[in-house]
Amino acid sequence: MRRDDIRRLEGVADRAWPAAEVWPGPGWEARFADGMHRRINSASVWEAADLPDVVRRIEQWYARRGRPAIFKLTDASAPGLDEHLAGRGYARDALVQIMTASLDGTLPDPTHPVDLAAAASEEWMDAFAGMSGYGPERRRLLGEVLGRIRLPAAYAALREGGAIASVGLAVAEGREAGLFEMATAPGHRRRGMAGSVLAALLEWMARRGAAVAYLQVLEGNEPAERLYRGAGFETRYRYWYRVPPGWLSTMPR
Ligand SMILES: CC(C)(COP(=O)(O)OP(=O)(O)OC[C@H]1O[C@@H](n2cnc3c(N)ncnc32)[C@H](O)[C@@H]1OP(=O)(O)O)[C@@H](O)C(=O)NCCC(=O)NCCS
């Protein structure tokens, strides 16, 4: 994918999953939120005339918020950024694939009925948090993140025996729409539920006029990757984080 396209799609994904505070610089952006996700607690640096100075200023911005700086990198990041951060002791963390699929043409039909709602209910959030093994703090933070989404969204829920067994979220902005929070309760996996949720969300995206669906999947998450490849998604580029030593121990539970 071209450098400009990566930068643009990263912007779309960052707006779909909004931080509480954004510091837009000339050639960089730092995002902050009291939240568990790295995307909304990380800085992207695309261009910097004085890279060490920009990194130092971003570190200070996070320090004023009581947080260590985390950087999100792609192949389109400022040249030398990865090496510079490595030299300052930052460790590489979480390689993530960005996959896209065209929404033109025939889309798969859901094999199970799926409900779509424009906002997240407490039940939906409890179901996702339960499937994901979130403790109370992460569940609270999830509510905060989802409460910030202002773009058109569809919260999908597939029920079995009245209870939500599989979920997913779509957020649309113009010709692109992103998929987030796909999960099936462990006892219900490999029965086509996520496939149905995915099909219902792709159909919602196409109906809204989106042309391209995008999603993020952690490298090595084979079940998810196979699910997405089966629905026509292809890997377009990757991103990863540079985190300061000891950062993972600060993740909320
Ligand atoms: C990924 C996940 C949502 C799949 O949910 P699911 O309801 O089991 O998926 P489905 O039954 O609809 O599977 C559809 C297809 O995905 C692929 N797939 C799903 N689980 C798989 C597994 N464990 N191993 C290999 N392929 C798998 C298969 O191609 C499958 O089709 P098939 O069963 O006909 O072979 C589920 O494993 C999950 O909740 N994982 C934890 C959360 C997560 O990783 N979410 C994705 C974040 S990007």
Side-chain angles (χ1 to χ4, degrees):
M1 206 164 176
R2 286 177 38 228
R3 207 172 176 271
D4 287 354
D5 292 334
I6 294 178
R7 183 170 173 176
R8 205 185 55 75
L9 189 53
E10 280 295 295
V12 170
D14 287 336
R15 287 190 294 277
W17 196 252
E21 208 184 329
V22 177
W23 180 33
W28 75 84
E29 181 186 89
R31 297 166 294 275
F32 170 75
D34 195 10
M36 65 284 181
H37 284 270
R38 300 176 183 91
R39 179 171 277 277
I40 53 173
N41 272 304
S42 63
S44 307
V45 183
W46 308 103
E47 294 158 31
D50 183 345
L51 191 61
D53 180 58
V54 167
V55 167
R56 221 174 6 253
R57 288 169 62 195
I58 290 172
E59 286 173 340
Q60 287 163 358
W61 190 78
Y62 282 105
R64 286 198 293 278
R65 283 152 186 80
R67 286 282 185 146
I70 297 167
F71 292 83
K72 177 154 65 76
L73 292 102
T74 67
D75 288 338
S77 293
L81 176 65
D82 203 36
E83 297 76 8
H84 177 71
L85 293 172
R88 287 175 72 78
Y90 282 80
R92 209 174 151 129
D93 185 50
L95 186 59
V96 180
Q97 301 180 49
I98 292 269
M99 304 179 91
T100 69
S102 166
L103 292 166
D104 302 336
T106 320
L107 295 173
D109 280 327
T111 49
H112 300 69
V114 176
D115 300 327
L116 298 184
S121 63
E122 292 297 318
E123 184 197 12
W124 190 97
M125 291 188 278
D126 285 343
F128 176 78
M131 291 169 200
S132 309
Y134 284 11
E137 181 59 5
R138 287 186 88 178
R139 162 65 181 86
R140 186 186 69 75
L141 292 169
L142 172 73
E144 287 192 4
V145 179
L146 299 182
R148 280 196 295 269
I149 297 177
R150 295 281 173 270
L151 290 164
Y155 291 82
L158 193 161
R159 289 171 188 279
E160 172 127 327
I164 297 177
S166 186
V167 296
L169 163 64
V171 180
E173 184 188 345
R175 66 184 297 279
E176 272 117 3
L179 273 168
F180 301 88
E181 312 302 68
M182 291 285 299
T184 297
H188 295 286
R189 289 185 187 163
R190 287 319 282 276
R191 289 169 48 198
M193 290 190 174
S196 290
V197 165
L198 182 59
L201 290 174
L202 295 178
E203 202 265 329
W204 176 85
M205 292 173 175
R207 223 177 332 117
R208 287 202 54 82
V212 175
Y214 68 89
L215 58 83
Q216 300 137 36
V217 57
L218 207 56
E219 188 90 23
N221 184 349
E222 208 161 298
E225 216 185 293
R226 283 212 203 172
L227 165 72
Y228 302 139
R229 284 198 194 287
F233 282 84
E234 287 175 13
T235 305
R236 304 303 304 278
Y237 64 94
R238 288 175 169 78
Y239 67 79
W240 62 95
Y241 294 92
R242 282 279 178 187
V243 300
W247 176 78
L248 284 178
S249 61
T250 67
M251 289 276 282
R253 299 204 148 269

